[in-house]
Amino acid sequence: MTETKNKTAAENTSASKEFQLEDSIHKAEEFFNKNKNSIIIALLVIVVVVGGSFAYNRFIKAPNEKKAQDMVFHAQQYFEKDSFRVALNGDGNYYGFLQVIDKYGSTKTGQLAKYYAGVSYVKLGEFQKGVDMLKDFSSGDQIVQAMAYGLTGDAYMELGKTEDGIEYYKKAAHHSNNELTAPTFLFRAGLALEKANKPADAIAVYKEIRDKYPQTQEGREMDKYLARLGEVRN
């Protein structure tokens, strides 16, 4: 008798599960039928976006990157020889940085060409053009980006825009807390603050260098600069 009851209960449970499954399938079919147009459109959008992204990277982005690399080669050689004007504009046979930027400015190589062009303009004394180019430059490399900010600060100082120079020196120093660029640009910020008649702010910057980068050349010299401003270590 017990076995019969257990068998009946099991059959009922199985039947209940089958009914629930059929009911879920029915509801899913009903939902799809009611919303199939929206679902199909959503799926098509996904396919187009994924497929389009793959096609862009494969057939446009990668070839453009290669073309930009080939195009910038001779400009870099002129840059290394300090032939900045030719590096910018080309030599008649090969392109310069400005042509690379114009054609492939959105590529990684095109972005790097903006950095080179900015440096070239600053070296040539065309400081505003240097500022404009460097501010348009963007890099995922923290040190290179810090160098770009610092050079922008140099250009602003040459233009007599001390406050902008200070801003970009600090931006450069705090973008990458490494011992190569950070203390250098903090030091330039301190000197610029002295020039702007802001000794208290200069003292704060010099103390930051001394405390954060004591092993660097700038860090070892900060007590001298602080003493000059009347700040003596106890």
Side-chain angles (χ1 to χ4, degrees):
M1 184 71 176
T2 302
E3 290 181 2
T4 302
K5 286 184 178 180
N6 289 339
K7 183 177 180 181
T8 302
E11 288 174 349
N12 289 338
T13 300
S14 177
S16 176
K17 287 181 178 179
E18 288 179 5
F19 173 77
Q20 290 174 357
L21 179 60
E22 288 177 359
D23 185 53
S24 296
I25 293 171
H26 176 71
K27 287 180 179 179
E29 289 176 345
E30 185 178 353
F31 177 81
F32 178 79
N33 288 330
K34 289 176 66 176
N35 300 278
K36 62 181 178 182
N37 289 337
S38 298
I39 293 171
I40 290 171
I41 290 172
L43 290 173
L44 285 173
V45 168
I46 292 170
V47 170
V48 169
V49 169
V50 173
S53 177
F54 173 79
Y56 173 78
N57 288 329
R58 176 73 180 275
F59 299 112
I60 298 176
K61 186 177 180 179
N64 281 351
E65 192 67 58
K66 178 65 168 59
K67 289 175 183 177
Q69 289 171 359
D70 293 341
M71 194 174 173
V72 83
F73 176 74
H74 292 282
Q76 288 175 318
Q77 288 189 317
Y78 281 117
F79 180 88
E80 289 168 5
K81 296 175 183 177
D82 294 342
S83 298
F84 300 114
R85 186 72 63 189
V86 181
L88 280 168
N89 299 298
D91 62 3
N93 294 314
Y94 298 104
Y95 292 111
F97 293 127
L98 296 182
Q99 288 78 28
V100 176
I101 294 165
D102 183 56
K103 286 180 175 292
Y104 304 110
S106 62
T107 64
K108 289 182 180 179
T109 302
Q111 280 294 314
L112 190 59
K114 292 178 183 179
Y115 176 76
Y116 279 117
V119 175
S120 297
Y121 277 130
V122 172
K123 293 289 186 181
L124 290 167
E126 298 182 35
F127 301 113
Q128 188 58 56
K129 287 184 179 180
V131 167
D132 294 340
M133 190 63 71
L134 289 167
K135 288 175 76 172
D136 196 37
F137 166 73
S138 178
S139 173
D141 186 307
Q142 286 196 324
I143 292 180
V144 174
Q145 185 65 66
M147 292 291 290
Y149 288 145
L151 190 60
T152 304
D154 289 341
Y156 272 130
M157 293 300 292
E158 292 290 346
L159 290 167
K161 297 181 178 180
T162 304
E163 292 299 329
D164 290 324
I166 293 167
E167 176 189 348
Y168 271 85
Y169 284 146
K170 288 184 175 181
K171 197 171 183 178
H174 296 140
H175 185 75
S176 176
N177 295 318
N178 67 83
E179 293 191 348
L180 176 65
T181 61
T184 297
F185 292 125
L186 277 175
F187 181 49
R188 292 184 192 179
L191 293 175
L193 285 162
E194 286 194 64
K195 182 179 179 180
N197 197 29
K198 295 182 177 180
D201 292 338
I203 287 170
V205 168
Y206 291 151
K207 284 184 176 180
E208 182 180 352
I209 297 170
R210 184 189 66 188
D211 297 341
K212 289 178 69 175
Y213 307 102
Q215 302 304 316
T216 65
Q217 181 179 344
E218 292 86 357
R220 290 190 292 269
E221 293 181 348
M222 281 306 100
D223 281 335
K224 176 176 68 177
Y225 286 90
L226 286 165
R228 190 179 69 187
L229 293 173
E231 192 78 10
V232 180
R233 190 199 294 258
N234 294 325

